Amino acid sequence: MNVKVLLLALLVLVAGCGVSKKPVASVPTASDATPVEPVPGKPAVADGKVANEASAPTSLPAPPPMQPPPATQRMAASKGLASSRYMMAPMPVPPMQPMPSDINRENYAHRDSNPVQLASEQPVSTFGIDVDTGAYTNVRRMLNAGRLPPADAVRAEEFINYFDYGYAPPADREQPFSVTTELASAPWNAQRQLLLVGIQGYRVPAAQIPASNLVFLIDTSGSMDEPDKLPLLKASLKQLVRELRPRDRVAIVTYAGSAGVALPSTAGDRHATINAAIDSLGAGGSTNGGAGIELAYAQATQGFIQGGVNRVILATDGDFNVGTVDQAALKSIVENHRKSGVALTTLGFGEGNYNDAMAVMLADAGNGSHHYIDSLAEGRRVLVEAMSATLLTIAKDVKIQLEFNPAQVQEYRLIGYEKRLLKREDFNNDAVDAGEIGAGANVTAIYEITPTGSAAARIDPLRYGARPTPTAGGDELAFLRLRYKLPGQSASRLIERPIAARAEAHPSERLRFAAAVAAFADALRGGKYLDGYGYRQIAQLANGARGQDADGYRAGFVQLVKLAEGLATPAPTNPETFLR
């Protein structure tokens, strides 16, 4: 009996040893063709050792890790790599590169705003007039597109001179323009004043414009192949074609990689022929603007009309990139040709690569004006509604000089006209070029004045400097001088008049609106001189001075100010609170 029990115990012991030594399926390696299922209840632990039975979990084991495809496992095995380490890494994605059309290459000349001057140290201010309007419409394009302009794109005088201020024209044409002045408190600081100087040229009905010899110089390079460039240009030119008369002559010169004549000089009443030539224009190639300018002037010289209007109208985005591209060289070409009596007007189009600096420089050198066309309505405004002002020059080399009386004026600042500043001695030098004014055009200049003794003075007086003493004309604010030449004449004429130091208690509508426009330009450039006067106050000032606004230009200005306010980032009143 005891022997049987002993044998039975020995058999149980042998059987137990056999079970404990039974191997457990391991995790497959890279050399395995197919995964092997682990034995239930015997899961493998993280380091690859077999878990003992006492620690085996009672729940279902976790599924095995996902393995690469068999082909990948075999490749890994051949390289001596474990399959779990030979996982496919994600392909690196290169950073997005901007498309050429997304790169903003617009070019604007940098000019610092005019500084505040002490009348006791620098009593004389001299500059040439300017009738360009391109900066205003170019900035309008940016604001309507939902972005604020760069400061260098904002030129205050071109904002101000976009609008008509209703100045009375001269009594006769003996003097080509009238002069208006007004003095009133500045809306952003009642302790300062604004002095307005306005010039109004005599008007000439379109039918009375002398015979015109016009050459349209059209940029047809590849950069013009956008809806707001060549197509808009062609539509704008067609607005003018309908106004041309039999005595007018029109030629079209194009330039891309090379220059060519798309339409020889043609009688103005052949509207269908001219329109067909315009319709045939297409864009492509590089931009050889220098060759185009030379060919256009050659056409203008060939069709020159003695006593008439002789003008090249350059329409471009300004992106000259082959041939003569140096600005100084191009300026020299234009200056040499203007002496022959052929003027140059520039029309800017498009965005992204718009070369404002080039277009403005060429117009100034060519005794013409610069305009930016942001819509067909603006094209019609410049080429049809303001045709006389755009085409017919009634006075050239117009210069303005003011001598401020230190007994009345402590400080002054000219708003805008940075690109037209002249030296004091240039005023009497008839060889120095200045701005032109067209028939019916008006020009406005605004000075900010700090009266002597005002608490709003920006510059501290010198400790050892002599204080101004009253002199003759002590009740005069300033003395105004203007010089100009009549077309075809080389000697200038002089206009002089004193300006009384009497400020208007209630500024006129024109001064209030002009002040709003000047403030808007300053605000877009940073608002350095506005004493905290913001967009909302500017809009209110302009809206209250809209007056008779048949064309809606002033109402449009108010809307632009509101757009700028919405786009601007207001400064926090408490920086620490803002950061929190």
Side-chain angles (χ1 to χ4, degrees), residues 356-379:
D356 175 85
M358 177 76 76
V360 170
M361 179 272 294
L362 292 177
D364 289 348
N367 279 0
S369 55
H370 168 64
H371 309 274
Y372 179 87
I373 309 301
D374 63 335
S375 66
L376 183 56
E378 183 63 21

Side-chain angles (χ1 to χ4, degrees), residues 464-538:
Y464 307 107
R467 296 184 179 277
T469 57
T471 60
D475 60 344
E476 293 177 3
L477 182 84
F479 193 71
L480 173 65
R481 301 179 180 91
L482 295 98
R483 281 198 178 275
Y484 68 93
K485 300 173 188 173
L486 294 177
Q489 297 185 6
S490 57
S492 66
R493 301 187 181 191
L494 177 65
I495 299 174
E496 296 180 309
R497 66 172 59 178
I499 300 175
R502 292 191 301 272
E504 299 289 340
H506 302 287
S508 68
E509 181 182 274
R510 73 162 61 100
L511 178 53
R512 285 183 286 126
F513 190 81
V517 179
F520 184 47
D522 195 348
L524 290 173
R525 289 178 64 90
K528 179 179 178 181
Y529 297 105
L530 293 180
D531 298 330
Y533 201 73
Y535 288 116
R536 185 162 303 181
Q537 294 159 298
I538 295 170

Side-chain angles (χ1 to χ4, degrees), residues 156-171:
E157 72 278 9
E158 297 184 28
F159 278 47
I160 297 169
N161 288 329
Y162 183 83
F163 300 95
D164 184 357
Y165 296 97
Y167 303 124

Side-chain angles (χ1 to χ4, degrees), residues 229-385:
K229 294 185 179 181
L230 188 58
L232 177 57
L233 162 58
K234 292 160 67 173
S236 299
L237 290 182
K238 285 185 175 182
Q239 299 292 314
L240 174 60
V241 170
R242 295 175 59 87
E243 308 299 322
L244 297 174
R245 305 155 301 182
R247 63 177 181 267
D248 299 325
R249 307 289 297 181
V250 175
I252 299 177
V253 173
T254 64
Y255 65 92
S258 59
V261 178
L263 178 72
S265 186
T266 302
D269 60 346
R270 296 182 59 185
H271 296 167
T273 301
I274 300 171
N275 281 331
I278 293 173
D279 287 335
S280 69
L281 300 177
S286 52
T287 316
N288 193 340
I293 289 175
E294 290 283 18
L295 183 56
Y297 274 116
Q299 288 290 309
T301 301
Q302 182 178 340
F304 191 86
I305 299 176
Q306 192 66 37
V309 175
N310 296 278
R311 187 174 295 270
V312 173
I313 300 176
L314 168 60
T316 178
D317 57 12
D319 192 22
F320 296 4
N321 52 34
V322 298
T324 303
V325 297
D326 179 68
Q327 288 199 17
L330 289 168
K331 181 179 179 181
S332 179
I333 293 173
V334 173
E335 287 176 337
N336 289 335
H337 283 291
R338 84 175 180 215
K339 298 174 183 177
S340 65
V342 179
L344 175 70
T345 291
T346 59
L347 306 178
F349 290 84
E351 62 179 326
N353 65 331
Y354 173 53
N355 194 340
D356 175 85
M358 177 76 76
V360 170
M361 179 272 294
L362 292 177
D364 289 348
N367 279 0
S369 55
H370 168 64
H371 309 274
Y372 179 87
I373 309 301
D374 63 335
S375 66
L376 183 56
E378 183 63 21
R380 181 173 179 81
R381 178 184 187 270
V382 171
L383 295 175
V384 178
E385 296 168 8

Side-chain angles (χ1 to χ4, degrees), residues 400-485:
I400 296 178
Q401 186 174 81
L402 273 90
E403 178 187 352
F404 290 98
N405 180 4
Q408 297 288 343
V409 178
Q410 184 167 339
E411 301 169 345
Y412 68 89
R413 178 177 67 91
L414 174 62
I415 299 176
Y417 292 93
E418 286 83 3
K419 73 177 188 285
R420 288 292 193 173
L421 297 179
L422 297 173
K423 297 178 181 178
R424 182 174 176 179
E425 63 268 24
D426 292 341
F427 182 75
N428 293 322
N429 187 347
D430 286 348
V432 175
D433 182 58
E436 282 64 43
I437 183 170
N442 67 78
V443 178
T444 300
I446 298 177
Y447 283 88
E448 183 187 33
I449 305 292
T450 304
T452 298
S454 171
R458 292 186 172 100
I459 302 176
D460 292 333
L462 295 175
R463 178 180 177 87
Y464 307 107
R467 296 184 179 277
T469 57
T471 60
D475 60 344
E476 293 177 3
L477 182 84
F479 193 71
L480 173 65
R481 301 179 180 91
L482 295 98
R483 281 198 178 275
Y484 68 93
K485 300 173 188 173

